Amino acid sequence: LSKYKQKKKFYRLKDGSFIHVEGEDIETLAQMSQSLNLSDKELKKGKVEVPKYRALYLNSQLKEHPSIKAVKNKAFKELVRHMKTVEDNDFEVPETLEDILREYQKRGFLWMKTLRHNGFGGILADDMGLGKTLQVITFLLSEHQEAEEGSNLKTLIVCPASLVFNWKTEIEKFAPELCVKMAVGTAKQREDMISQLGDRDIIVTSYDLLKRDMAFYEKVTFAYEVIDEGQYIKNHMTQAAKAVKDIQAGFKLALTGTPIENRLS
């Protein structure tokens, strides 16, 4: 593969013989190793680990090029199947919200459940005004209803300061059984609230307060982190972006109606 990248047609083996390195298989493998950012050093090891989210890419490449022999184990096939058949998965919308959600919102809910189930994070990028908040509330309510007693369901919602009260109001309106708190008040009050969070508590804070309170969050492990207006962290060098990423959470979800602003990065 390393010789192929140098556009050589033949490769000399240690015994002096040559192998022809042109052909569809070697080309496909070279493209795959490039797409997966695999170094020559990794390839020479004979065993390479790639991130879980690459499964769909690998699967599509192997389907397009059946001449490359591959054995897909049960876990790999299940992962691909779950991600491709989001709407056929067995997740149910909470009964109280069944008649409130529109069909596309139910699909969004199923997609979030699928991501969570398969160990991924994601970005919900519906346009403004299409009810991203409601979809997240539905997801959180479902997780709370399905969780076993004593499970850690701590949730952190980070949003612009102007939306903190809105999140609390919406949660109380659509899922009154969820316990929602706002990280407001003095630094001492916020520290006390964060340190005393219960396993089923949802806490809403602003990007600005999150930056100030990072020391208080260091010892807290959240089950979920929801980042509203995710374009606020588009510049990964900012303190807000670093704070959001430093939070320990099992599942991270960003919401934004404007996922691409000026630059794709």
Side-chain angles (χ1 to χ4, degrees), residues 67-78:
S67 58
I68 296 174
K69 293 178 78 174
V71 177
K72 303 173 189 176
N73 67 11
K74 187 182 175 188
F76 181 89
K77 287 191 278 194
E78 273 184 3

Side-chain angles (χ1 to χ4, degrees), residues 74-88:
K74 187 182 175 188
F76 181 89
K77 287 191 278 194
E78 273 184 3
L79 175 60
V80 171
R81 190 168 62 247
H82 284 152
M83 293 306 296
K84 282 190 166 182
T85 56
V86 170
E87 290 175 47
D88 296 330

Side-chain angles (χ1 to χ4, degrees), residues 110-138:
L110 288 172
W111 180 72
M112 283 184 264
K113 292 287 284 187
T114 303
L115 287 178
R116 161 83 169 132
H117 181 74
N118 289 298
F120 295 124
I123 301 173
L124 180 62
D126 285 351
D127 285 337
M128 291 168 68
L130 292 184
K132 294 186 286 293
T133 304
L134 177 56
Q135 290 176 60
V136 171
I137 293 169
T138 307

Side-chain angles (χ1 to χ4, degrees), residues 29 47 50 58 70 97 99 126 133 146 202 207 234 239:
L29 286 169
K47 182 180 179 180
V50 296
L58 275 171
L97 297 173
D99 296 335
D126 285 351
T133 304
E146 291 173 6
I202 298 170
Y207 286 98
K234 65 179 179 180
Q239 280 187 308

Side-chain angles (χ1 to χ4, degrees), residues 22 35 41 53 158 165 170 188 196 204-205 209 228 243:
E22 276 192 316
S35 295
K41 189 179 174 184
Y53 71 87
V158 188
F165 281 91
E170 293 287 288
K188 181 72 174 76
Q196 292 165 18
V204 189
T205 192
L209 287 180
D228 195 9

Side-chain angles (χ1 to χ4, degrees), residues 51-201:
K52 200 177 181 181
Y53 71 87
R54 291 298 202 176
L56 292 166
Y57 165 74
L58 275 171
N59 190 61
S60 67
Q61 289 297 304
L62 293 171
K63 268 192 170 174
E64 280 178 34
H65 305 280
S67 58
I68 296 174
K69 293 178 78 174
V71 177
K72 303 173 189 176
N73 67 11
K74 187 182 175 188
F76 181 89
K77 287 191 278 194
E78 273 184 3
L79 175 60
V80 171
R81 190 168 62 247
H82 284 152
M83 293 306 296
K84 282 190 166 182
T85 56
V86 170
E87 290 175 47
D88 296 330
N89 287 339
D90 297 330
F91 307 115
E92 292 183 359
V93 175
E95 210 174 304
T96 51
L97 297 173
E98 175 71 43
D99 296 335
I100 294 173
L101 263 61
R102 295 174 180 176
E103 282 308 309
Y104 73 86
Q105 291 173 325
K106 289 176 183 174
R107 283 200 299 275
F109 160 77
L110 288 172
W111 180 72
M112 283 184 264
K113 292 287 284 187
T114 303
L115 287 178
R116 161 83 169 132
H117 181 74
N118 289 298
F120 295 124
I123 301 173
L124 180 62
D126 285 351
D127 285 337
M128 291 168 68
L130 292 184
K132 294 186 286 293
T133 304
L134 177 56
Q135 290 176 60
V136 171
I137 293 169
T138 307
F139 166 75
L140 291 175
L141 180 59
S142 167
E143 292 287 294
H144 277 246
Q145 288 178 348
E146 291 173 6
E148 293 177 8
E149 198 64 42
S151 301
N152 175 24
L153 297 167
K154 287 190 190 81
T155 304
L156 175 66
I157 297 173
V158 188
C159 61
S162 58
L163 295 177
V164 172
F165 281 91
N166 182 64
W167 267 99
K168 187 173 189 293
T169 305
E170 293 287 288
I171 292 171
E172 288 173 345
K173 177 182 175 183
F174 292 109
E177 57 264 63
L178 298 181
C179 179
V180 57
K181 298 173 177 178
M182 295 185 297
V184 292
T186 65
K188 181 72 174 76
Q189 288 171 325
R190 297 197 305 273
E191 182 182 8
D192 290 345
M193 177 179 286
I194 294 162
S195 66
Q196 292 165 18
L197 279 176
D199 282 342
R200 287 183 166 259
D201 285 349

